[in-house]
Amino acid sequence: HIILIACIGFLAGLILSVLLAKFITIGLDNLIKGIQIIEKGDLSHRIQETSNDEIGQLAHSFNSMLSTLEENNKALDRKIFEIETLFKASQAMNFQSDTDKLIKQILEMAGTAIQSERCSIMLQTGSGTEELETKIVYSMKESQTIQPETTVKIRIGEGVAGTVLKTGKSIIVNEGYKDPLFKSYATSSNYEKSINALISVPLKIKDRVTGVINGVNKINGESFNDEDQRLLEALAQQAA
């Protein structure tokens, strides 16, 4: 009986050892396969966390490190993109003598940079009153400048653009025409209902606001953010 019990105990221990080894091997295999995928440049890949043991904790720590690395990589890509955009704008200003063409190029760059469906420049009318009037509209969809559908003059402090003219500070309105700050005009009410997100930044000559640059609706349907504002402000500073 003692020998039988010993044999059963030995077999049970052997089976448990095999199962444990297999469990550990599976965890290590997942870890190794994940590392091999990441080595090829796919930072979005995450290692499957199958347990709460040391291997599971290692996989969790590795995934956390990857998330941080991916965020830092995206931030670096964004900085490089912003520098390239501003460099192109600077080159355009140095080599383009036609003001109208230059403004169109700036608007195209702005639309591409913040991925907006439309970008426009509004300037003060110069009639002695502090009013804004749309001068040029660039459509990303049509890849060309288009004539404003209607001529609307916006007074200082009126609506989003008028508030930017008054305060000299940028505004992001991600509720579009539903935002309380948004002012509707009867002559453009149909178009206004298509505005879901709006960003408006000042054009300044020294400390005086002479106009605004607007971006309407992100192409991907997302909201405008601080990165969009920072880049558009830098472009507006160069354009002014």
Side-chain angles (χ1 to χ4, degrees):
H1 290 290
I2 294 174
I3 295 173
L4 180 61
I5 293 171
C7 289
I8 292 173
F10 175 76
L11 288 173
L14 183 62
I15 292 171
L16 285 173
S17 297
V18 171
L19 291 175
L20 182 60
K22 186 176 181 181
F23 180 76
I24 294 173
T25 303
I26 290 174
L28 287 173
D29 285 343
N30 287 334
L31 194 61
I32 292 170
K33 288 178 182 177
I35 292 173
Q36 288 173 342
I37 292 172
I38 293 161
E39 282 179 341
K40 295 178 181 178
D42 185 3
L43 296 180
S44 63
H45 181 77
R46 295 295 180 268
I47 296 170
Q48 188 176 0
E49 300 175 27
T50 57
S51 64
N52 293 320
D53 58 9
E54 287 80 359
I55 294 177
Q57 291 174 7
L58 179 60
H60 178 74
S61 298
F62 202 82
N63 287 337
S64 297
M65 181 189 69
L66 280 173
S67 296
T68 302
L69 185 60
E70 188 176 20
E71 289 176 6
N72 291 339
N73 201 37
K74 286 181 179 178
L76 179 59
D77 288 343
R78 177 69 187 187
K79 287 292 184 184
I80 293 172
F81 172 72
E82 290 179 1
I83 291 170
E84 288 177 344
T85 301
L86 294 175
F87 177 71
K88 289 178 182 177
S90 178
Q91 279 189 316
M93 290 175 193
N94 289 332
F95 295 104
Q96 181 59 263
S97 57
D98 189 312
T99 303
D100 289 340
K101 289 182 179 180
L102 177 59
I103 292 175
K104 291 175 184 178
Q105 284 182 295
I106 294 294
L107 278 182
E108 183 179 1
M109 290 178 194
T112 302
I114 65 174
Q115 288 295 290
S116 66
E117 293 178 0
R118 280 189 176 192
C119 275
S120 64
I121 283 185
M122 305 181 78
L123 300 175
Q124 285 190 280
T125 58
S127 58
T129 59
E130 293 183 299
E131 292 180 327
L132 289 171
E133 186 176 18
T134 303
K135 295 298 182 181
I136 300 177
V137 179
Y138 184 85
S139 170
M140 291 293 292
K141 185 177 180 180
E142 299 175 32
S143 298
Q144 63 180 9
T145 54
I146 56 177
Q147 290 296 322
E149 296 174 4
T150 56
T151 300
V152 176
K153 293 183 179 180
I154 300 175
R155 294 182 179 180
I156 186 169
E158 194 174 70
V160 177
T163 302
V164 172
L165 176 64
K166 180 179 180 180
T167 64
K169 296 181 179 179
S170 303
I171 294 177
I172 293 177
V173 173
N174 282 322
E175 293 182 1
Y177 73 96
K178 296 179 182 179
D179 192 279
L181 188 60
F182 189 92
K183 182 174 177 61
S184 182
Y185 297 88
T187 55
S188 58
S189 59
N190 290 333
Y191 167 67
E192 288 168 359
K193 291 179 180 179
S194 68
I195 299 176
N196 301 312
L198 173 66
I199 181 171
S200 184
V201 304
L203 282 166
K204 293 182 179 180
I205 297 178
K206 293 184 178 180
D207 293 329
R208 188 171 69 90
V209 181
T210 58
V212 300
I213 294 182
N214 302 307
V216 174
N217 296 346
K218 295 205 76 166
I219 293 173
N220 57 13
E222 294 180 358
S223 300
F224 289 112
N225 54 43
D226 292 339
E227 290 181 345
D228 297 322
Q229 179 179 319
R230 183 175 63 247
L231 183 53
L232 198 56
E233 284 175 344
L235 284 169
Q237 186 177 3
Q238 290 194 357

